[in-house]
Structure formats: C-alpha cells, structure tokens
Amino acid sequence: MGKKFQVAYQVPFYESDINHQIKVPHLLSFALQVSGLQSESLGNTDDWLLDNFNLVWVITDYELDIQRLPRYAENIVVETEAIAYNKLFCYRKFYIYGEDGQQIIEIFSTFVLMDYDTRKVVTVKDEIVAPYGSEKIKKVIRGPKYKPLKEAEESLFHVRYLDLDMNGHVNNSKYLEWMYEAMDIDFLKTHVPKKVHLKYLKEIHYGKDIITRIKQDGLISQHEIKTDQGLHAQAQIEWRERNEA
C-alpha cells in the first residue's frame, strides 16, 4: 500500500442532483483532483511530469462500490493512495467517508502514462512513482469483460468547448454524464448506482458527434460511447432503489 492523502469537502449545491445527492461524475472529478493534490504535495506535479518526461496521466478504468451517495451540504472526506504499479499500469484507490466517519464509497482506478505528442502509452518509470510509496508488482489487475451491445437505445450529443479538459480532449467525467443522460429520468429519480464499472478506450476531441448507447435489463444497465472513429468508452452499472441506499 502507498502513502495516504485526504481532503475534507462539503458537497455544494451545484454538484447535487434532483435527489439532493452528489452527482457521480462530479464525485469522480473531485476524487481525481484529490489525487492531483497528493502529487503536488510530493513535488510530482503534472507540469513536472510534462516538462521532464513529456508525459501525462490518463485514466483507463474505474470501479466504484457505493454504499450510499453523499448528500447535499454533507461534510465528507476523500482519501486516496497509490497502491501498486507494474510495467504499464498504476493502481490507485479512493475512499469516501461520510459525515459520521463511516466509509460509504470505495473507488478502484487504473492509470497509464501517455506520451503527450504521440498519444501512446509508455512504460512506467520507477522514479516517477517512487514518491507515492506504492508496491511494484508483476500482476495485471483486469476489469470485467464488456459485451458489445448489438441492440441498444441511442442518443446523440455534440462535444462542446466546456466538455474539454486541460489536455484538450473530453473530460473523463463527461462520458458518465452522457451515459446518465441516455437513461429514463423516472428511473434515475428512484434508483441510485450500487456498483459502477467504467472503461475508457480512446480520447474524444472537440466538435465530434457522439452516440451514447444503452441496454437495460432490470437493475443492470450497459453503456457505450461511440463516434465515427469507433468505440470510446464502455460501462456497466448495477442499480438499487433509493430507499435501499
């Protein structure tokens, strides 16, 4: 296990949904910010990584286990640690604690290092990850296998300027927003996610038309994000009724 780092946070109005709970895409964005704050505290900033190695961090996978979602105005704590790495992948966990101090969410994430110019994944250098104190392993931790959606409902969106992040491509939380937007609002009012698997395959850039595809079977929904360049993201979400959360 690696060095732990945590940040206290109060869920604001603009990050809360119709059910007065935090929007999951916003939660992922803040968790990512916490990992960035840890890197800054260790002198391992994004600028240092780019200036010295011409590399950027890229997320490939998320797995969320959700006991309950934080509520509007709730004071929570987000804790993170870089737990392990191998030749190509770096693994990081996030733990979300509610106002009562109990853990309510665990997030397992997978990162790679990408060359900024070629956009290709590169081998992880020990000196880059050494400050985090994470374990070097040989094992590759794999997520679930996603089945292609042959039949699915489709919705069309257009990539806008504010969808982009500092790297010039669509912010990773936006993919999950598009997946939510394809779902029935009455279902979203009465259900919350219990487990989320999310995989990123390719970047999406400004001006693209994207198709978000969904197939739902009871409390399991499967999702795809596609453009004319192919498949960009996949997800599987297990839901439960709000009164069970």
Side-chain angles (χ1 to χ4, degrees):
M1 296 297 181
K3 297 177 182 177
K4 291 187 176 182
F5 181 88
Q6 61 177 222
V7 174
Y9 188 64
Q10 185 179 57
V11 179
F13 172 81
Y14 59 85
E15 290 184 359
S16 305
D17 65 14
I18 196 170
N19 295 321
H20 297 193
Q21 295 172 315
I22 196 168
K23 299 173 183 176
V24 179
H26 286 271
L27 178 64
L28 288 181
S29 291
F30 184 71
L32 189 60
Q33 181 177 338
V34 172
S35 69
L37 290 173
Q38 182 186 33
S39 294
E40 289 180 11
S41 74
L42 297 171
N44 219 8
T45 66
D46 289 342
D47 287 341
W48 173 83
L49 187 63
L50 187 61
D51 291 343
N52 289 276
F53 302 96
N54 200 45
L55 300 176
V56 293
W57 288 109
V58 175
I59 299 170
T60 63
D61 295 84
Y62 277 123
E63 178 183 327
L64 289 77
D65 283 298
I66 302 170
Q67 301 299 317
R68 70 168 178 87
L69 291 172
R71 299 177 297 271
Y72 162 61
E74 183 175 3
N75 293 299
I76 64 174
V77 171
V78 180
E79 183 177 72
T80 189
E81 60 177 332
I83 60 170
Y85 72 100
N86 54 39
K87 185 177 180 180
L88 290 177
F89 300 102
C90 297
Y91 306 108
R92 175 179 285 275
K93 281 190 175 182
F94 299 89
Y95 313 95
I96 316 298
Y97 300 95
E99 203 158 74
D100 60 0
Q102 297 297 309
Q103 182 178 311
I104 56 176
I105 300 173
E106 181 173 306
I107 304 171
F108 181 85
S109 60
T110 304
F111 290 74
V112 296
L113 285 166
M114 178 181 288
D115 185 279
Y116 184 80
D117 295 324
T118 67
R119 315 310 284 180
K120 292 183 178 180
V121 174
V122 302
T123 301
V124 177
K125 297 179 184 294
D126 291 343
E127 61 189 290
I128 292 176
V129 296
Y132 301 100
S134 55
E135 179 186 6
K136 187 172 186 178
I137 60 176
K138 293 182 178 180
K139 179 182 178 182
V140 175
I141 304 174
R142 302 188 185 278
K145 292 184 178 180
Y146 298 85
K147 297 178 181 178
L149 300 185
K150 296 180 180 180
E151 296 181 2
E153 296 181 16
E154 297 185 349
S155 301
L156 181 67
F157 293 91
H158 187 73
V159 178
R160 303 165 301 176
Y161 173 75
L162 292 181
D163 296 332
L164 306 179
D165 62 17
M166 292 191 299
N167 291 323
H169 56 72
V170 172
N171 184 279
N172 70 85
S173 67
K174 192 67 190 179
Y175 294 73
L176 190 56
E177 284 188 26
W178 286 327
M179 292 171 181
Y180 263 75
E181 292 294 345
M183 301 192 69
D184 179 74
I185 188 171
D186 290 329
F187 180 86
L188 293 175
K189 285 180 179 178
T190 55
H191 294 78
V192 291
K194 178 181 179 181
K195 195 173 187 72
V196 180
H197 289 281
L198 178 58
K199 184 176 186 64
Y200 301 101
L201 300 169
K202 290 191 294 187
E203 297 172 316
I204 302 178
H205 297 279
Y206 175 73
K208 281 289 184 182
D209 289 320
I210 73 102
I211 298 172
T212 177
R213 309 181 73 238
I214 176 175
K215 180 179 181 181
Q216 187 166 352
D217 183 8
L219 296 178
I220 302 294
S221 61
Q222 295 173 273
H223 305 262
E224 290 181 347
I225 300 294
K226 304 185 79 172
T227 71
D228 58 2
Q229 294 180 320
L231 186 63
H232 292 261
Q234 296 170 287
Q236 179 172 298
I237 306 176
E238 180 183 351
W239 302 83
R240 63 171 161 233
E241 292 187 10
R242 280 194 68 220
N243 57 14
E244 296 178 3

Short mmCIF file of all heavy atoms in Angstrom, two decimals, residues 66-88:
data_model
loop_
_atom_site.label_atom_id
_atom_site.label_comp_id
_atom_site.label_asym_id
_atom_site.label_seq_id
_atom_site.Cartn_x
_atom_site.Cartn_y
_atom_site.Cartn_z
N ILE A 66 -20.52 1.46 -4.05
CA ILE A 66 -21.23 2.56 -3.40
C ILE A 66 -22.21 2.02 -2.36
O ILE A 66 -23.17 1.32 -2.70
CB ILE A 66 -21.99 3.41 -4.45
CG1 ILE A 66 -21.01 3.95 -5.50
CG2 ILE A 66 -22.74 4.56 -3.78
CD1 ILE A 66 -21.68 4.60 -6.70
N GLN A 67 -21.95 2.34 -1.09
CA GLN A 67 -22.91 2.01 -0.03
C GLN A 67 -24.04 3.03 -0.02
O GLN A 67 -25.21 2.70 0.09
CB GLN A 67 -22.21 2.01 1.34
CG GLN A 67 -21.05 1.02 1.44
CD GLN A 67 -21.49 -0.42 1.22
OE1 GLN A 67 -22.52 -0.85 1.74
NE2 GLN A 67 -20.73 -1.16 0.43
N ARG A 68 -23.67 4.30 -0.14
CA ARG A 68 -24.63 5.37 -0.33
C ARG A 68 -23.89 6.56 -0.91
O ARG A 68 -22.64 6.64 -0.83
CB ARG A 68 -25.33 5.77 0.97
CG ARG A 68 -24.45 6.49 1.98
CD ARG A 68 -25.28 7.10 3.11
NE ARG A 68 -24.43 7.75 4.11
CZ ARG A 68 -24.01 9.02 4.02
NH1 ARG A 68 -24.32 9.77 2.96
NH2 ARG A 68 -23.27 9.54 4.97
N LEU A 69 -24.63 7.49 -1.50
CA LEU A 69 -24.03 8.70 -2.06
C LEU A 69 -24.05 9.83 -1.03
O LEU A 69 -25.01 9.96 -0.27
CB LEU A 69 -24.79 9.14 -3.32
CG LEU A 69 -24.65 8.23 -4.54
CD1 LEU A 69 -25.59 8.68 -5.64
CD2 LEU A 69 -23.21 8.22 -5.05
N PRO A 70 -23.01 10.65 -1.00
CA PRO A 70 -23.03 11.82 -0.12
C PRO A 70 -24.20 12.75 -0.45
O PRO A 70 -24.60 12.88 -1.61
CB PRO A 70 -21.69 12.51 -0.42
CG PRO A 70 -20.82 11.43 -0.96
CD PRO A 70 -21.74 10.53 -1.74
N ARG A 71 -24.73 13.39 0.57
CA ARG A 71 -25.88 14.27 0.41
C ARG A 71 -25.45 15.73 0.27
O ARG A 71 -24.33 16.10 0.66
CB ARG A 71 -26.82 14.12 1.60
CG ARG A 71 -27.39 12.72 1.79
CD ARG A 71 -28.26 12.64 3.03
NE ARG A 71 -27.47 12.91 4.23
CZ ARG A 71 -26.83 11.98 4.92
NH1 ARG A 71 -26.84 10.72 4.53
NH2 ARG A 71 -26.15 12.31 6.01
N TYR A 72 -26.34 16.56 -0.25
CA TYR A 72 -26.09 17.99 -0.36
C TYR A 72 -25.70 18.57 1.01
O TYR A 72 -26.34 18.28 2.02
CB TYR A 72 -27.34 18.70 -0.90
CG TYR A 72 -27.33 20.19 -0.65
CD1 TYR A 72 -26.33 21.00 -1.19
CD2 TYR A 72 -28.32 20.80 0.13
CE1 TYR A 72 -26.30 22.36 -0.96
CE2 TYR A 72 -28.31 22.16 0.36
CZ TYR A 72 -27.30 22.94 -0.18
OH TYR A 72 -27.27 24.29 0.07
N ALA A 73 -24.64 19.34 1.03
CA ALA A 73 -24.12 20.04 2.21
C ALA A 73 -23.46 19.10 3.23
O ALA A 73 -23.00 19.55 4.28
CB ALA A 73 -25.19 20.88 2.90
N GLU A 74 -23.37 17.81 2.93
CA GLU A 74 -22.71 16.88 3.84
C GLU A 74 -21.20 17.11 3.81
O GLU A 74 -20.60 17.34 2.76
CB GLU A 74 -23.00 15.43 3.45
CG GLU A 74 -22.39 14.42 4.41
CD GLU A 74 -22.77 12.98 4.11
OE1 GLU A 74 -23.49 12.74 3.12
OE2 GLU A 74 -22.34 12.08 4.87
N ASN A 75 -20.59 17.06 4.98
CA ASN A 75 -19.14 17.17 5.09
C ASN A 75 -18.53 15.78 4.96
O ASN A 75 -18.76 14.91 5.81
CB ASN A 75 -18.75 17.79 6.42
CG ASN A 75 -19.19 19.24 6.52
OD1 ASN A 75 -18.75 20.08 5.73
ND2 ASN A 75 -20.07 19.54 7.46
N ILE A 76 -17.79 15.57 3.89
CA ILE A 76 -17.20 14.27 3.62
C ILE A 76 -15.68 14.38 3.62
O ILE A 76 -15.12 15.49 3.61
CB ILE A 76 -17.69 13.68 2.28
CG1 ILE A 76 -17.22 14.56 1.10
CG2 ILE A 76 -19.20 13.54 2.27
CD1 ILE A 76 -17.53 13.97 -0.27
N VAL A 77 -15.02 13.24 3.63
CA VAL A 77 -13.56 13.18 3.49
C VAL A 77 -13.24 12.24 2.34
O VAL A 77 -13.78 11.13 2.27
CB VAL A 77 -12.88 12.69 4.78
CG1 VAL A 77 -11.39 12.43 4.54
CG2 VAL A 77 -13.07 13.70 5.90
N VAL A 78 -12.39 12.70 1.43
CA VAL A 78 -11.92 11.87 0.32
C VAL A 78 -10.46 11.54 0.58
O VAL A 78 -9.61 12.44 0.69
CB VAL A 78 -12.08 12.60 -1.03
CG1 VAL A 78 -11.57 11.71 -2.17
CG2 VAL A 78 -13.54 12.98 -1.27
N GLU A 79 -10.18 10.25 0.69
CA GLU A 79 -8.82 9.77 0.95
C GLU A 79 -8.34 8.94 -0.23
O GLU A 79 -9.14 8.24 -0.85
CB GLU A 79 -8.80 8.92 2.22
CG GLU A 79 -7.42 8.42 2.62
CD GLU A 79 -7.47 7.64 3.92
OE1 GLU A 79 -7.99 6.50 3.90
OE2 GLU A 79 -7.01 8.17 4.94
N THR A 80 -7.06 9.03 -0.54
CA THR A 80 -6.54 8.27 -1.68
C THR A 80 -5.16 7.72 -1.37
O THR A 80 -4.44 8.24 -0.50
CB THR A 80 -6.47 9.16 -2.95
OG1 THR A 80 -6.15 8.35 -4.07
CG2 THR A 80 -5.44 10.26 -2.80
N GLU A 81 -4.80 6.66 -2.07
CA GLU A 81 -3.46 6.10 -2.02
C GLU A 81 -3.17 5.38 -3.33
O GLU A 81 -4.04 4.73 -3.91
CB GLU A 81 -3.29 5.14 -0.85
CG GLU A 81 -4.21 3.95 -0.87
CD GLU A 81 -3.96 2.98 0.28
OE1 GLU A 81 -2.82 2.92 0.76
OE2 GLU A 81 -4.91 2.29 0.68
N ALA A 82 -1.95 5.53 -3.82
CA ALA A 82 -1.48 4.78 -4.98
C ALA A 82 -1.00 3.44 -4.47
O ALA A 82 0.03 3.36 -3.81
CB ALA A 82 -0.37 5.54 -5.69
N ILE A 83 -1.74 2.37 -4.74
CA ILE A 83 -1.49 1.10 -4.05
C ILE A 83 -0.44 0.23 -4.72
O ILE A 83 0.27 -0.52 -4.05
CB ILE A 83 -2.80 0.31 -3.85
CG1 ILE A 83 -3.46 -0.01 -5.20
CG2 ILE A 83 -3.74 1.07 -2.95
CD1 ILE A 83 -4.61 -0.98 -5.09
N ALA A 84 -0.34 0.28 -6.06
CA ALA A 84 0.58 -0.62 -6.75
C ALA A 84 0.79 -0.16 -8.19
O ALA A 84 0.00 0.63 -8.73
CB ALA A 84 0.06 -2.06 -6.72
N TYR A 85 1.84 -0.70 -8.82
CA TYR A 85 2.06 -0.44 -10.23
C TYR A 85 2.86 -1.59 -10.84
O TYR A 85 3.52 -2.36 -10.14
CB TYR A 85 2.80 0.89 -10.44
CG TYR A 85 4.26 0.88 -10.05
CD1 TYR A 85 5.27 0.75 -10.99
CD2 TYR A 85 4.63 1.02 -8.71
CE1 TYR A 85 6.61 0.75 -10.64
CE2 TYR A 85 5.97 1.02 -8.33
CZ TYR A 85 6.96 0.89 -9.30
OH TYR A 85 8.29 0.89 -8.94
N ASN A 86 2.76 -1.71 -12.16
CA ASN A 86 3.57 -2.68 -12.89
C ASN A 86 4.16 -2.00 -14.11
O ASN A 86 4.28 -0.77 -14.13
CB ASN A 86 2.75 -3.93 -13.25
CG ASN A 86 1.47 -3.59 -14.00
OD1 ASN A 86 1.45 -2.70 -14.85
ND2 ASN A 86 0.38 -4.30 -13.69
N LYS A 87 4.52 -2.77 -15.10
CA LYS A 87 5.22 -2.20 -16.25
C LYS A 87 4.40 -1.13 -16.98
O LYS A 87 4.96 -0.15 -17.46
CB LYS A 87 5.58 -3.33 -17.23
CG LYS A 87 6.42 -2.91 -18.41
CD LYS A 87 6.79 -4.10 -19.27
CE LYS A 87 7.63 -3.68 -20.46
NZ LYS A 87 8.00 -4.83 -21.32
N LEU A 88 3.09 -1.31 -17.03
CA LEU A 88 2.26 -0.40 -17.82
C LEU A 88 1.16 0.30 -17.03
O LEU A 88 0.68 1.35 -17.47
CB LEU A 88 1.62 -1.17 -18.99
CG LEU A 88 2.55 -1.62 -20.11
CD1 LEU A 88 1.76 -2.43 -21.14
CD2 LEU A 88 3.22 -0.42 -20.79
#
